[in-house]
Amino acid sequence: MDRYLERGASWTALAYGPGFALLGFLAELLTGATHTVAWVIVGLGLAAITAPWVYARRRFLTVRVTGDALWQGRERVPLTDIAEVTDVGAPTGARVLGGGWTTPNKYEALPIRLTDGTVVLAWAKDVEALRTALRQARTA
């Protein structure tokens, strides 16, 4: 059961390319000259190049708190290893969870103190909701 879930991207993004192609096709209908096959190819092509992007964002940018762990992308941190999530300062050079060098763009950092005393940086778009979910999961 997920106590907190923040997907890196939605599969609905695959519909943007075909939607754009449909608008192009409809605009051509107004002018009288239509290139139906070309617009189908454009729509499928845009969907095809969007699919790996959506897959990668869902795999590497999903934040999840389950009953026993915090997941940051593909990295798993057991809740038993988390000592503190409030009033933790972020030292320079703190390791970022999920394997990146820095927190992903458009995500905020949440410093977390582990039971071994090290501080790591978790990240989420809604840091307060993540902090609340971690606090509740640790006390449950």
Side-chain angles (χ1 to χ4, degrees):
M1 179 180 94
D2 292 331
R3 296 175 182 270
Y4 180 80
L5 179 62
E6 185 177 287
R7 295 278 184 203
S10 171
W11 286 111
T12 57
L14 289 178
Y16 298 158
F20 169 75
L22 178 63
L23 289 175
F25 175 74
L26 293 175
E28 271 196 351
L29 274 179
L30 294 175
T31 64
T34 59
H35 300 90
T36 307
V37 174
W39 284 113
V40 169
I41 292 171
V42 166
L44 291 175
L46 290 173
I49 63 174
T50 304
W53 176 82
V54 171
Y55 175 75
R57 287 189 63 91
R58 288 179 69 91
R59 183 167 183 166
F60 298 110
L61 295 179
T62 294
V63 179
R64 194 171 83 188
V65 177
T66 61
D68 64 341
L70 162 66
W71 289 86
Q72 296 270 209
R74 294 175 53 193
E75 185 171 353
R76 179 182 182 274
V77 178
L79 293 178
T80 56
D81 289 354
I82 297 175
E84 194 174 347
V85 294
T86 55
D87 298 327
V88 178
T92 303
R95 185 174 71 85
V96 178
L97 295 177
W101 292 100
T102 62
T103 56
N105 290 337
K106 300 181 183 177
Y107 287 80
E108 293 182 49
L110 173 64
I112 295 176
R113 186 175 319 281
L114 300 178
T115 54
D116 65 0
T118 61
V119 175
V120 294
L121 295 178
W123 40 266
K125 287 186 179 180
D126 188 354
V127 169
E128 288 305 317
L130 176 60
R131 179 181 285 128
T132 301
L134 285 171
R135 263 192 257 134
Q136 290 173 350
R138 285 181 43 236
T139 58

